[in-house]
Amino acid sequence: TARLGIMRLSFTMNEYSAAIEAADALLASSAIGADVKSEATFTKALALQKQGKGAESMQLLQTLTGDPESLWGAKSLYYLAQQQFDARQTDEADRTVNRLIDANPPHDYWLARGFILLSDIRRRQGNSFEADEYLRSLRENYPGDEADIMRMIDQRLNKN
């Protein structure tokens, strides 16, 4: 429990080396459950990405994408697709985000983030109409009330 708290707090405080160290300690333990193992792997992947180690980060995220129904699987698919998009690997990002969308996980927030990313991908591919339609549909149908989702939608629609 202490290592889990240290890992979470270290990441929150942008102390990525400490977060990775705590994640590694958790992953080395045989006493952790599958959910803690997934969280530690995910946190380590994001910390590595923050340190500029994108390839290592993507490799770790890939290990979690096999179960998109789980929270960590859904988040990993989203972050993997976002990293691919940021690295200008547009076709790979498209395939990855569509894996998330096709899985239709019970995590509305991460599914919505996936649709926003899909809109960004379509815009980069030159299809602004389709990109805007994804955003308009999401705005009308999103069941959550997270302000950041609506802000992301509005920012993208107002750029055009």
Side-chain angles (χ1 to χ4, degrees):
T1 302
R3 285 185 176 140
L4 185 60
I6 290 168
M7 180 190 72
R8 288 174 178 164
L9 186 59
S10 296
F11 187 84
T12 300
M13 295 179 61
N14 302 327
E15 296 290 337
Y16 303 121
S17 294
I20 291 168
E21 186 178 315
D24 283 340
L26 284 166
L27 293 169
S29 172
S30 60
I32 64 170
D35 196 51
V36 172
K37 182 178 180 180
S38 294
E39 182 180 354
T41 302
F42 179 81
T43 302
K44 181 178 179 178
L46 290 189
L48 286 167
Q49 190 268 329
K50 296 285 189 179
Q51 290 183 328
K53 299 174 183 172
E56 288 179 66
S57 172
M58 287 193 271
Q59 190 175 33
L60 278 178
L61 289 172
Q62 189 68 42
T63 67
L64 298 171
T65 63
D67 183 14
E69 296 289 318
S70 75
L71 174 62
W72 303 113
K75 288 174 75 167
S76 293
L77 278 167
Y78 168 76
Y79 277 100
L80 178 61
Q82 183 66 59
Q83 285 186 35
Q84 291 166 331
F85 180 78
D86 293 344
R88 313 249 354 129
Q89 299 170 354
T90 307
D91 291 340
E92 292 88 345
D94 192 9
R95 283 190 291 277
T96 302
V97 80
N98 273 299
R99 283 180 52 208
L100 172 63
I101 291 167
D102 291 346
N104 194 24
H107 311 288
D108 292 334
Y109 179 84
W110 294 105
L111 189 57
R113 293 285 303 262
F115 274 109
I116 292 168
L117 178 56
L118 184 59
S119 164
D120 293 342
I121 291 167
R122 292 296 177 263
R123 193 169 316 285
R124 179 180 286 169
Q125 293 171 331
N127 195 340
S128 294
F129 175 79
E130 189 175 342
D132 289 347
E133 286 303 306
Y134 279 122
L135 294 171
R136 287 185 193 103
S137 178
L138 183 58
R139 183 170 49 196
E140 292 173 14
N141 297 301
Y142 182 61
D145 60 0
E146 293 86 2
D148 64 325
I149 294 291
M150 293 305 155
R151 186 173 44 256
M152 284 184 251
I153 292 169
D154 290 341
Q155 285 172 342
R156 285 161 174 80
L157 287 173
N158 291 334
K159 280 186 178 179
N160 305 324

